[in-house]
Structures are given as C-alpha cells and as structure tokens.
C-alpha cells in the first residue's frame, strides 16, 4: 500500500471531479479577446446563413471574409473557428456539386 500521499476527498460542497474536468477544458476569453473576435463571429453567422440558403456565391464571399478576420487574430484564439471554416468549405463544395448535377427536371 502506498502511504506517500492520501487521496483528496471533496467535502466542501464544491464541484465534483467530473465538473472540475469539464471546466478545465473550457477556457474563457477576456473582454478584449471577445471584442477582437466579434467581427469573426459575425462573418461566421453570415456564412452559416448563406449556406442555409444554399447561396453558394454569398457563402464563398462570407467564408473569405471570415478567413480574413481569423488571420488578423492569433491562432490559439481561433482554433475552433478555423476548423468550422474547413467544414464549411466541404459543405460548400458538396452543395455546389449537388446543385450542378443534372436531374430529371433540368432536361439533361
């Protein structure tokens, strides 16, 4: 039996170990970081709206604007948004290909 260190017991009524682990993965942004990220989040909202409308030209323009905003910020501030931009790229390409495909109503 290892007697070097006793186990910690949570007795103060604070968060459980699961809550502590979940909170450790979340890092908040400071107010100035949130202010700097605001144009990027606005561009991402425009991109999402364009993709939902299936307006691929507007989606490409919004994605380009979002990348320009992401490039202005440090990488660690935009890690999640950059992965979302990559996902939107795949969705745009798939949507364009699907819309170009000849169907029974196009007469091709």
């Amino acid at each position: 039996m290892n007697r070097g260190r006793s186990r910690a017991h949570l007795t103060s009524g604070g968060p459980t170990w699961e809550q502590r682990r979940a909170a450790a993965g979340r890092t908040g942004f400071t107010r100035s970081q949130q202010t700097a990220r605001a144009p990027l989040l606005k561009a991402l909202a425009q991109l999402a709206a364009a993709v939902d409308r299936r307006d691929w030209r507007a989606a490409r323009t919004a994605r380009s604007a979002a990348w320009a905003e992401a490039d202005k910020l440090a990488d660690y501030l935009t890690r999640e948004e950059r992965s979302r931009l990559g996902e939107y790229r795949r969705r745009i390409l798939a949507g364009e290909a699907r819309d170009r495909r000849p169907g029974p109503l196009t007469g091709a």
Side-chain angles (χ1 to χ4, degrees):
M1 178 185 265
N2 184 3
R3 296 178 184 249
R5 189 183 309 185
S6 62
R7 289 186 58 118
H9 296 282
L10 301 175
T11 59
S12 64
T16 63
W17 287 114
E18 291 78 20
Q19 291 169 334
R20 287 183 181 202
R21 273 191 220 105
R26 280 183 268 137
T27 57
F29 294 108
T30 64
R31 191 169 300 226
S32 62
Q33 290 171 338
Q34 289 175 351
T35 303
R37 286 169 39 93
L40 172 61
L41 298 178
K42 183 179 177 183
L44 281 171
Q46 292 172 349
L47 172 58
V51 169
D52 289 342
R53 288 190 318 263
R54 299 174 61 94
D55 184 0
W56 307 123
R57 181 176 295 200
R60 284 185 176 275
T61 303
R63 184 175 172 272
S64 177
W67 267 116
E69 292 298 330
D71 286 340
K72 292 178 186 176
L73 301 171
D75 288 344
Y76 71 93
L77 292 176
T78 60
R79 194 168 289 132
E80 183 178 322
E81 286 76 11
R82 289 173 188 263
S83 69
R84 283 175 45 197
L85 286 170
E87 179 60 35
Y88 275 119
R89 177 181 179 269
R90 288 185 285 281
R91 288 179 64 185
I92 290 169
L93 289 173
E96 287 176 335
R98 186 174 47 244
D99 288 352
R100 268 190 248 120
R101 199 174 312 144
L105 300 177
T106 61

